[in-house]
Amino acid sequence: MADTRIDPAPFRWYGGRISVDFTATLTGHGPSAVEQLRTPTDLSHWSRAAHLSDAPLPDATPRALTQAHHLREALHRTFLHAAKPDPDDLDTISTWSARSLPGPRIATGPNDAPVLRRPQLHLTGDLLTLIARDGVDLLTGPHSHRIRECAAPDCTLLFVDVSRPGRRRWCSMDACGARSKMAGYRARKTQGV
Ligand SMILES: [Zn+2]
C-alpha cells in the first residue's frame, strides 16, 4: 500500500506527551472549538503524523472516531482537574488503558548492536490504548501536577511543564509566547513606558 508522508503541520505537538498532544486535536475547547479529527481518516492521519503507525488504520470507522473523541475529552477533563478527576472519566481512560498492546521488540541494528523496535500500530483500538496508557502514566507520575493550560487567553492547549523551575506559561514560545511578548511590548509603547 502506498505510504505517502503525512504532514504533521495541521496538528499541534507542544504537549510533551502523546496523550496531551491527543487532546490538542480539539483546539479552543469551548464555544470556539475547532475539531481536527473530523473524519475517521483524520484519526489515521494523526496516528501517522505522530509516528505511531506507518500505514492508514484499516478499522478507522465512524464508531472508532466517536470512541476517540470520547477518550480524548475524558483525558482533557482529567488533565485539567488532575487533583480531583471525575470517576467516569477515569473509567473511560482505564477501559482503554487495560487492553493488551503489541510490545516493543529487540533486534540487531547497525554494527550488530541491539536496538529497540517499537511496534507500529495497525488498529485504532491499539492507538487509543497507547494514548490512554500514556495518560495513566502521566497522571500517576511525577509530573501529574505539572499539566498546564497555555496562558494565552485565546489558547486552550495543554502541555506538561518539565522545566526545572516549573514556570513555563505557554504551549509554545514560538507561537503564544512570542505573541504575548509582542502584545506586552505594544501595550507598553502605547502607554509610553
Ligand atoms: Zn498557546
Side-chain angles (χ1 to χ4, degrees):
M1 187 178 295
D3 182 27
T4 52
R5 282 175 64 84
I6 293 296
D7 179 9
F11 304 115
R12 301 287 190 276
W13 307 100
Y14 303 140
R17 296 288 291 247
I18 201 71
S19 55
V20 179
D21 284 338
F22 191 59
T23 68
T25 57
L26 186 71
T27 59
H29 277 82
S32 60
V34 177
E35 178 61 78
Q36 292 192 314
L37 299 179
R38 286 185 286 270
T39 69
T41 305
D42 293 335
L43 197 56
S44 268
H45 283 178
W46 187 88
S47 179
R48 294 167 74 194
H51 306 291
L52 297 174
S53 51
D54 55 9
L57 302 170
D59 64 336
T61 60
R63 179 168 179 268
L65 183 66
T66 301
Q67 291 172 326
H69 289 163
H70 192 221
L71 172 63
R72 180 188 64 194
E73 296 318 297
L75 283 168
H76 184 258
R77 283 188 295 269
T78 306
F79 288 153
L80 278 178
H81 307 287
K84 203 170 191 305
D86 184 312
D88 287 344
D89 286 337
L90 295 188
D91 277 350
T92 299
I93 297 166
S94 291
T95 298
W96 286 108
S97 174
R99 294 171 76 256
S100 63
L101 197 60
R105 296 173 169 210
I106 192 163
T108 51
N111 306 320
D112 295 331
V115 291
L116 174 70
R117 293 251 188 269
R118 294 192 187 285
Q120 291 290 315
L121 304 181
H122 302 295
L123 298 168
T124 54
D126 290 346
L127 172 68
L128 300 187
T129 292
L130 185 137
I131 292 166
R133 280 196 195 175
D134 183 71
V136 169
D137 185 58
L138 174 60
L139 287 160
T140 57
H143 292 116
S144 61
H145 64 293
R146 290 283 198 95
I147 308 168
R148 310 240 164 86
E149 190 174 54
C150 179
D154 57 346
C155 179
T156 61
L157 293 184
L158 303 182
F159 61 86
V160 184
D161 181 2
V162 295
S163 68
R164 188 180 285 264
R167 290 197 291 267
R168 180 176 158 190
R169 298 184 63 202
W170 318 107
C171 64
S172 158
M173 273 313 297
D174 291 341
C176 291
R179 273 196 303 130
S180 171
K181 284 205 161 115
M182 185 54 74
Y185 169 75
R186 287 208 188 99
R188 285 193 297 277
K189 208 171 167 188
T190 306
Q191 292 161 11
V193 178

